[in-house]
Amino acid sequence: MKCGIVVFPGSNCDHDCYHILKHVLQLDTQWIWHKDETLDTFDFIVLPGGFSYGDYLRPGAIARFSPIMKSVIDFANRGGRVLGICNGFQILVESGLLPGVLMDNEGQRFICKNLTLRVDNNNTPFTSQCAPGAVLKIPINHGQGRYFADEETLKQLEGNGQIIFRYCDEEGKTPETANPNGSIDHIAGVANANKNVMGMMPHPERCADPLWPEVDGQTIFNSLIQSSLAHS
Amino acid sequence: MTASIPITPEIVAEHGLSPEEYARIQKLLKRDPNLVELGIFSAMWSEHCSYKSSRPHLKTLPTEGPRVIQGPGENAGVVDIGDGLAVVFKIESHNHPSFIEPHQGAATGVGGIMRDVFTMGARPIALLDSLRFGDPDHEKTRYLLNGVVKGIADYGNCVGVPTVGGDIYFDACYNGNILVNVFCLGLAKADRIFLGNASGIGNALLYVGSKTGRDGIHGASMASAEFDDATEEKRPTVQVGDPFTEKLLLEACLEIMKEDWVVGVQDMGAAGLSSSSFEMAERAGMGLELDLDAVPQREAGMNAYELMLSESQERMLFVVEKGHEDEALAIFKKWDLDVAVIGRVTDDGIYRARENGEEVVTLPIEAVVTGALKCDRPVQKPAYLAEVGTLDLSSKEIPARGGEVLKQLLASPTIASKQFVYEQYDHMVRLNTLVLPGSDAAVLRVPETDKALSLAVDCNPRYGYLDPYIGAQIAVAEACRNVVCSGADPVGVTNCLNFGNPENPEIMWQFQEAVRGLGDLCRFFDIPVVSGNVSLYNETKGEAIYPTPTIAVVGLMEDRSLHCTQGFKQAGHRIGLLGSTLEDLGGSEYQKLFWNELRGQPPVLDPKTERAVQRLCLDLIRQRLIQSAHDCSEGGLAVALAESCFTGPKPLGADLVLNSGMRADALLFGESQSRIVISFSEDALPSIESLAQKAGVPFAALGTAGGSKFQIRIDGNEFINEDILALEDIWENSLSRYGNRVAG
Amino acid sequence: MLAKIHVTLKNGVLDSQGKAVHQALNDLGYAEVEDVRLGKYMEVALSGISEQEAQTRVTEMCEKLLANTVIESYRFSLEPAE
């Protein structure tokens, strides 16, 4: 099993993803430099969090034109599994691999805290190890994570099961108080129609090391590993 | 061109140099300086760069110890933590720029201190911020708070270094001078520490980072002058930070530092290219030749004066061995940074800089760096002390019930939870934060070892106002106590000394007393001071801030599984207090809030008692006898108990019984030192009692955690009985309501 | 030639920054403020192309990078360089 982590200038959760995949989950994990133009063969690719290009202009807007992104888009279009976390999600949205946009948090402040997510589709390569409707404890860490899409797109997303995670309370309910950034419909993570590309604002790599009592983030990486095994 | 302007007394005065200082320059040079040279002297001899007022006092601090790899005098201090690793840390002020432009001022403060740490070869892994704002009701306070917090967040979050803790106080003495003190800690291999050293004849001087612009010219002189009404017009001297470039610079520096041909490196901080290049050459006893035309420039037509003094951010100076220039350039270009060879090391101790082929600077390096007139500033005990030194408690009414008092204390922005602030900071990135913000100290694992580090910062300015000697001692004691409550041994101190105008003998006395207190307690505790920073002239229209010697302490624990937090863990756990309570109401938050005064003596600090309490607490943690430990500080025992109730896995009530002949307000809200609230399971009680007795530390069992009420009875009478969730709401949300301008 | 480009949120997209500024202006006593929309203003200096080409190229730049057309609209003017 081989996975790759794309390093953009300004990525800063790249080391954390590497630590979880390489040292905790013992995968063959490779760095992918943004200036490279070709991709090795990988079972899956992670676009990590951070502030690629300082988030200047819009988060992800400049990274999306990095030399490597053409190969990442080709990889995705061929069915390769791509996980975008936080800034990685923003890059996937800017590149058109995922629908919608991520805007300034409603409260106009950056938010870093632990919260709970509900798994709304566990029939994907990213969530196959989660129980249906499972509530995961995973932290968020962003200033621009308010998901938005027009009504028609939302309807499509809902119909195709592309809404993978929603912000929720500890019981899995979605009252207004359980929406940290004003995302439409509480959306925290979405996939493309084929479910081989997913982006999420919360950071599963921040709760996947058994050093901490909370390791819910592991289920996402474990799902990716299981689905890659089944695939190969 | 700039070099040919004749120097008049007006120009000398505009550069903040006294006639005596100018005469000294003439004597050292045996000629008149040109304008560029005068600018260099002005910056290098400013208080900010030369420490001319403070140095004689700072020399008295204990700076050595078996773990110390590098003490003060470099970019940051370095302490050995075993396993071939070292921690590199420093705290630094960015007060003046943050008052003028809170967002950029605070942001560039974060950027500067991180560069100080990674120039030494360390990867920054933690930031702390010690912030002081004016009265919450002052018209500018909310704006300054929000601006500073956003500035810190924007910079630290982007670079990917977690902000894991800090402290915030509000007091009217900061209405015209807020304090932004930023601490950074990095991790390095103990045998790969880089110093600011320009040695080796012919070696190349490499400029790397952002291009030089016209920003921040005379920033160093600004940080050494009092504010007046015109200061708010000084905006152009504020630098703008670019955290994205800093992140690239960080990664590029750590990459190049793997090479053996890197000789030395220094950040271009205050006074930019001048201070970095002069200091590097001076440390090595060498000379330098610079070609200013080679300096990457952001704007057209910049002259030598501007290039030498610009404080554009995110720039560093490297010295690399001759012959390795191309390899160095390739690494920086990989990271898309501007880089150029701008000079060479020479052996004659002279600094020569050329502009358009013409030599515009010819200065003896040692004279510039060490030649500032030593200021033996006069000191005089402040007159106000005689007036505020006494506190007559007999005239003060004792409240019949304590519930309302407690609520008001919990709502005070100095005491209320800082969640509103730390949730805006990425405090988790790099996966080391074992104890998240909100406990006494932040705890970080040391990757690839079983160790953990504990970090705390502290200073209560009101104590310092009443007695700067005691105030500084308490700052050290409390920061150590915080680190001890998390389970770590203090191993190093860094300090940021914030005071008013040193030309005022009363301020200089405060400074002298605070440094003496800091030195005495560090010597007693045997903890070295390895780095520090002094910020003077924190004064507006003659109103100085209270003495604020901010102390950051780094602690080490060999076994990270033995870390401890402040919250009560489960219902049924017993609650106890280590240490004894005196009638210490002077300087307390209670005194300020309810009597609206600041007078009397600060709390008593007996170093021997303090040490005994701390050692006992560490013993109890390491023998796994206690489940929580929390230092008693602002708001006293009642607030400490309530905070422990709020901050466990789930909020818990408590049922507490106190017996004492003392005034109830002093007992519950006084701020006696050397006290720690602990919790433990019933069966540990005999062991705790016997260890406390052996250590000679007073210990009292106070009650039990659990239930929905926070109840305290004193001598049999109910004094407080409040719903714990209602108290928690006040404590947790007061600051956020304030910051977000929400009524209630 | 100088392209002066304005990028603004499309109508109907919640402008949370605009909302915050609106609130602040009301707080400062400007009760007449009914709505605030925030946007970005950019200047792109061009050389060596005709105005007609510039029209096409700048439109392309906006579509491709400068605006996120899912939520943002743009308009620009071309002026001779100063």
Side-chain angles (χ1 to χ4, degrees):
Chain A
M1 176 104 21
K2 191 163 125 192
C3 61
I5 298 168
V6 183
V7 183
F8 297 98
S11 293
N12 66 29
C13 301
D14 46 346
H15 286 263
D16 299 353
C17 288
Y18 187 87
H19 170 71
I20 299 300
L21 294 169
K22 173 98 177 174
H23 302 126
V24 177
L25 300 171
Q26 310 271 318
L27 302 184
D28 177 3
T29 308
Q30 310 275 322
W31 298 113
I32 304 170
W33 185 239
H34 66 107
K35 287 182 185 171
D36 292 348
E37 292 188 4
T38 53
L39 262 188
D40 224 347
T41 23
F42 288 107
D43 291 286
F44 64 90
I45 287 173
V46 178
L47 307 193
F51 290 71
S52 57
Y53 294 92
D55 275 1
Y56 298 151
L57 193 60
R58 295 181 307 279
I62 302 178
R64 169 249 184 286
F65 290 102
S66 287
I68 194 64
M69 277 308 288
K70 209 171 161 301
S71 299
V72 171
I73 292 169
D74 285 348
F75 176 78
N77 287 338
R78 289 198 311 271
R81 281 172 290 274
V82 180
L83 169 63
I85 300 169
C86 198
N87 192 230
F89 186 13
Q90 293 164 335
I91 296 168
L92 290 175
V93 158
E94 281 285 343
S95 68
L97 281 172
L98 291 175
V101 286
L102 292 152
M103 303 170 65
D104 284 350
N105 291 348
E106 194 170 38
Q108 295 296 308
R109 296 186 198 276
F110 192 96
I111 309 170
C112 175
K113 68 171 181 187
N114 280 303
L115 46 67
T116 38
L117 305 180
R118 189 178 68 207
V119 180
D120 277 1
N121 182 351
N122 71 335
N123 188 20
T124 79
F126 306 92
T127 50
S128 58
Q129 303 296 302
C130 307
V135 174
L136 306 179
K137 216 182 222 180
I138 297 184
I140 57 164
N141 183 68
H142 59 249
Q144 282 141 321
R146 178 160 63 100
Y147 187 79
F148 177 82
D150 59 40
E151 247 172 76
E152 201 178 323
T153 311
L154 280 177
K155 231 181 267 171
Q156 267 177 10
L157 292 178
E158 188 72 68
N160 291 338
Q162 287 174 253
I163 301 171
I164 311 300
F165 297 116
R166 281 191 169 88
Y167 301 109
C168 65
D169 63 17
E170 284 177 19
E171 278 98 53
K173 300 199 181 75
T174 53
E176 257 324 290
T177 47
N179 188 345
N181 53 22
S183 288
I184 195 156
D185 231 0
H186 288 243
I187 291 174
V190 297
N192 63 348
N194 285 333
K195 317 281 172 15
N196 64 311
V197 178
M198 184 187 76
M200 61 190 297
M201 287 314 295
H203 285 261
E205 83 281 8
R206 291 192 175 187
C207 49
D209 186 327
L211 185 65
W212 285 275
E214 310 286 349
V215 289
D216 283 357
Q218 274 193 9
T219 54
I220 289 161
F221 298 110
N222 282 331
S223 298
L224 260 172
I225 294 168
Q226 290 307 318
S227 68
S228 299
L229 285 173
H231 200 257
S232 54
Chain B
M1 18 171 206
T2 43
S4 59
I5 295 169
I7 306 300
T8 63
E10 290 74 33
I11 290 180
V12 171
E14 272 169 30
H15 280 77
L17 291 162
S18 68
E20 296 75 40
E21 285 174 316
Y22 187 65
R24 176 151 174 96
I25 292 171
Q26 288 171 311
K27 193 177 152 208
L28 285 168
L29 297 185
K30 302 186 184 72
R31 63 175 168 86
D32 287 351
N34 63 37
L35 187 63
V36 183
E37 293 169 335
L38 186 76
I40 292 171
F41 274 108
S42 157
M44 297 293 293
W45 287 9
S46 70
E47 187 65 56
H48 195 73
C49 288
S50 74
Y51 288 73
K52 58 189 167 193
S53 302
S54 55
R55 194 166 303 237
H57 300 281
L58 299 177
K59 273 202 226 145
T60 64
L61 295 175
T63 59
E64 288 173 5
R67 288 185 182 275
V68 178
I69 294 176
Q70 176 66 54
E74 276 284 344
N75 289 312
V78 186
V79 171
D80 194 312
I81 59 165
D83 288 339
L85 296 170
V87 285
V88 176
F89 58 92
K90 188 182 182 186
I91 188 167
E92 199 162 75
S93 66
H94 229 219
N95 305 337
H96 299 77
S98 301
F99 184 75
I100 292 173
E101 214 302 298
H103 182 256
Q104 290 301 336
T108 51
V110 173
I113 192 69
M114 281 199 275
R115 285 193 300 283
D116 278 337
V117 165
F118 69 75
T119 50
M120 308 224 27
R123 177 176 283 281
I125 61 164
L127 293 163
L128 305 176
D129 306 289
S130 181
L131 311 178
R132 300 290 179 272
F133 298 99
D135 188 321
D137 293 328
H138 187 268
E139 54 179 12
K140 289 194 83 175
T141 300
R142 180 184 288 104
Y143 156 78
L144 290 167
L145 168 73
N146 280 323
V148 164
V149 170
K150 186 155 177 20
I152 292 168
D154 281 356
Y155 207 104
N157 295 357
C158 182
V159 178
V161 179
T163 300
V164 296
D167 69 342
I168 306 180
Y169 279 74
F170 294 82
D171 191 289
C173 76
Y174 303 109
N175 281 351
N177 295 80
I178 62 169
L179 302 185
V180 175
N181 293 179
V182 191
F183 166 98
C184 182
L185 177 135
L187 201 56
K189 291 207 166 86
D191 58 355
R192 292 292 287 169
I193 301 295
F194 289 82
L195 302 179
N197 207 316
S199 56
I201 302 171
N203 283 343
L205 196 60
L206 230 73
Y207 170 111
V208 59
S210 295
K211 291 184 168 72
T212 299
R214 291 197 169 94
D215 34 355
I217 291 171
H218 278 313
S221 313
M222 177 176 85
S224 309
E226 272 183 56
F227 278 179
D228 54 37
D229 286 331
T231 313
E232 297 206 20
E233 296 303 313
K234 285 186 181 169
R235 280 174 193 265
T237 57
V238 171
Q239 319 91 307
V240 173
D242 177 0
F244 173 55
T245 298
E246 176 107 339
K247 168 71 174 164
L248 301 181
L249 195 55
L250 160 65
E251 298 301 333
C253 285
L254 294 181
E255 185 170 329
I256 201 170
M257 283 164 168
K258 291 179 185 152
E259 306 293 343
D260 290 332
W261 37 259
V262 176
V263 176
V265 50
Q266 185 153 335
D267 171 39
M268 289 190 227
L273 179 56
S274 293
S275 66
S276 52
S277 54
F278 271 92
E279 287 172 13
M280 285 178 82
E282 194 272 333
R283 289 198 195 100
M286 302 302 275
L288 286 178
E289 260 178 16
L290 273 82
D291 176 9
L292 295 177
D293 301 323
V295 172
Q297 297 168 32
R298 198 168 70 213
E299 296 165 60
M302 290 189 64
N303 59 41
Y305 183 92
E306 293 165 328
L307 291 170
M308 287 304 297
L309 295 170
S310 163
E311 291 192 357
S312 289
Q313 297 285 296
E314 292 93 22
R315 304 179 301 157
M316 314 256 262
L317 209 53
F318 272 82
V319 174
V320 302
E321 278 175 21
K322 194 176 167 180
H324 293 277
E325 294 88 346
D326 289 344
E327 292 158 78
L329 295 178
I331 289 176
F332 289 121
K333 283 182 179 156
K334 172 187 158 190
W335 289 96
D336 299 321
L337 292 160
D338 279 299
V339 55
V341 175
I342 62 163
R344 296 276 165 192
V345 178
T346 62
D347 64 350
D348 60 359
I350 304 292
Y351 193 103
R352 295 188 176 82
R354 287 189 316 274
E355 179 189 36
N356 299 324
E358 189 193 334
E359 195 161 297
V360 289
V361 178
T362 314
L363 291 173
I365 288 170
E366 200 191 339
V368 174
V369 177
T370 63
L373 283 173
K374 296 287 173 285
C375 290
D376 196 5
R377 300 225 188 251
V379 297
Q380 189 187 333
K381 188 168 178 178
Y384 75 84
L385 285 174
E387 199 252 315
V388 303
T390 55
L391 172 61
D392 178 13
L393 285 177
S394 63
S395 66
K396 308 286 185 194
E397 205 177 318
I398 304 171
R401 302 269 300 174
E404 278 311 307
V405 176
L406 179 60
K407 284 182 188 168
Q408 287 194 47
L409 283 169
L410 293 174
S412 151
T414 294
I415 289 175
S417 164
K418 304 303 181 290
Q419 186 179 338
F420 163 71
V421 171
Y422 64 70
E423 275 188 2
Q424 297 182 55
Y425 303 148
D426 184 348
H427 48 262
M428 304 173 179
V429 65
R430 301 206 74 81
L431 307 183
N432 297 323
T433 324
L434 276 180
V435 174
L436 301 182
S439 201
D440 277 338
V443 178
L444 293 142
R445 71 160 162 184
V446 180
E448 291 163 50
T449 71
D450 294 328
K451 296 175 205 276
L453 297 163
S454 169
L455 312 174
V457 59
D458 193 75
C459 180
N460 182 319
R462 290 183 190 145
Y463 303 163
Y465 175 77
L466 296 177
D467 185 336
Y469 177 79
I470 302 288
Q473 288 205 321
I474 290 179
V476 179
E478 188 177 333
C480 288
R481 210 182 306 135
N482 290 150
V483 156
V484 161
C485 284
S486 76
D489 281 301
V491 293
V493 163
T494 179
N495 64 90
C496 189
L497 306 173
N498 308 274
F499 288 80
N501 182 347
E503 294 156 38
N504 174 348
E506 296 193 343
I507 299 285
M508 211 50 219
W509 184 85
Q510 291 177 332
F511 183 82
Q512 167 194 291
E513 287 302 289
V515 174
R516 196 166 65 82
L518 165 61
D520 282 355
L521 203 66
C522 286
R523 257 184 301 275
F524 183 81
F525 274 34
D526 202 16
I527 315 171
V529 178
V530 297
S531 55
N533 167 245
V534 176
S535 171
L536 301 174
Y537 297 96
N538 293 287
E539 191 159 328
T540 297
K541 294 182 223 166
E543 285 289 309
I545 60 163
Y546 296 159
T548 314
T550 306
I551 304 298
V553 168
V554 175
L556 177 66
M557 62 187 95
E558 293 296 328
D559 178 356
R560 66 171 180 241
S561 74
L562 285 168
H563 71 264
C564 187
T565 53
Q566 71 178 35
F568 295 146
K569 301 298 178 295
Q570 66 184 63
H573 276 175
R574 301 291 306 273
I575 297 165
L577 177 68
L578 305 180
S580 43
T581 304
L582 310 170
E583 277 195 348
D584 284 317
L585 285 168
S588 65
E589 185 72 13
Y590 173 77
Q591 180 188 40
K592 183 75 196 173
L593 270 184
F594 293 92
W595 303 339
N596 193 28
E597 63 179 15
L598 172 54
R599 56 182 308 127
Q601 293 299 311
V604 173
L605 184 83
D606 172 35
K608 279 192 193 123
T609 306
E610 180 71 42
R611 189 171 59 187
V613 168
Q614 291 189 16
R615 284 184 178 168
L616 173 63
C617 182
L618 269 183
D619 253 8
L620 297 176
I621 293 171
R622 288 179 182 164
Q623 296 190 34
R624 298 187 197 268
L625 288 168
I626 56 177
Q627 267 66 48
S628 73
H630 183 25
D631 157 46
C632 283
S633 59
E634 289 74 25
L637 179 59
V639 165
L641 288 163
E643 286 174 343
S644 288
C645 285
F646 306 148
T647 51
K650 287 228 157 61
L652 289 172
D655 189 357
L656 304 152
V657 175
L658 278 74
N659 295 307
S660 157
M662 194 183 300
R663 295 172 60 104
D665 50 3
L667 177 64
L668 284 184
F669 311 119
E671 299 179 4
S672 287
Q673 295 300 300
S674 316
R675 293 185 300 166
I676 296 173
V677 170
I678 57 173
S679 69
F680 47 89
S681 62
E682 181 72 44
D683 53 8
L685 182 60
S687 313
I688 295 172
E689 279 174 333
S690 101
L691 283 168
Q693 198 177 14
K694 226 182 279 170
V697 172
F699 164 75
L702 303 181
T704 310
S708 62
K709 298 284 183 194
F710 184 76
Q711 305 180 61
I712 297 180
R713 270 168 293 157
I714 301 176
D715 298 328
N717 303 314
E718 184 177 274
F719 191 66
I720 294 177
N721 188 357
E722 300 287 335
D723 183 66
I724 191 69
L725 293 178
L727 294 179
E728 191 204 15
D729 177 66
I730 294 171
W731 178 75
E732 194 161 295
N733 297 312
S734 287
L735 193 59
S736 129
R737 287 183 189 123
Y738 174 75
N740 286 321
R741 211 187 269 279
V742 177
Chain C
M1 203 179 329
L2 195 64
K4 296 185 169 177
I5 307 167
H6 291 264
V7 176
T8 47
L9 285 173
K10 286 178 175 170
N11 283 334
V13 176
L14 172 68
D15 179 355
S16 49
Q17 282 193 63
K19 212 169 83 180
V21 174
H22 184 181
Q23 181 63 42
L25 285 171
N26 286 159
D27 285 353
L28 289 170
Y30 298 99
E32 69 273 28
V33 176
E34 263 201 345
D35 192 23
V36 178
R37 307 285 288 170
L38 258 68
K40 293 180 193 135
Y41 170 69
M42 310 173 199
E43 289 184 355
V44 177
L46 309 165
S47 68
I49 56 169
S50 72
E51 190 168 334
Q52 203 181 353
E53 284 172 306
Q55 280 287 349
T56 320
R57 303 277 290 173
V58 173
T59 304
E60 208 178 290
M61 290 177 206
C62 290
E63 290 281 335
K64 209 168 167 179
L65 177 68
L66 302 180
N68 181 346
T69 52
V70 177
I71 46 164
E72 292 170 332
S73 54
Y74 60 89
R75 61 193 156 81
F76 62 86
S77 61
L78 296 171
E79 288 171 23
E82 281 143 32

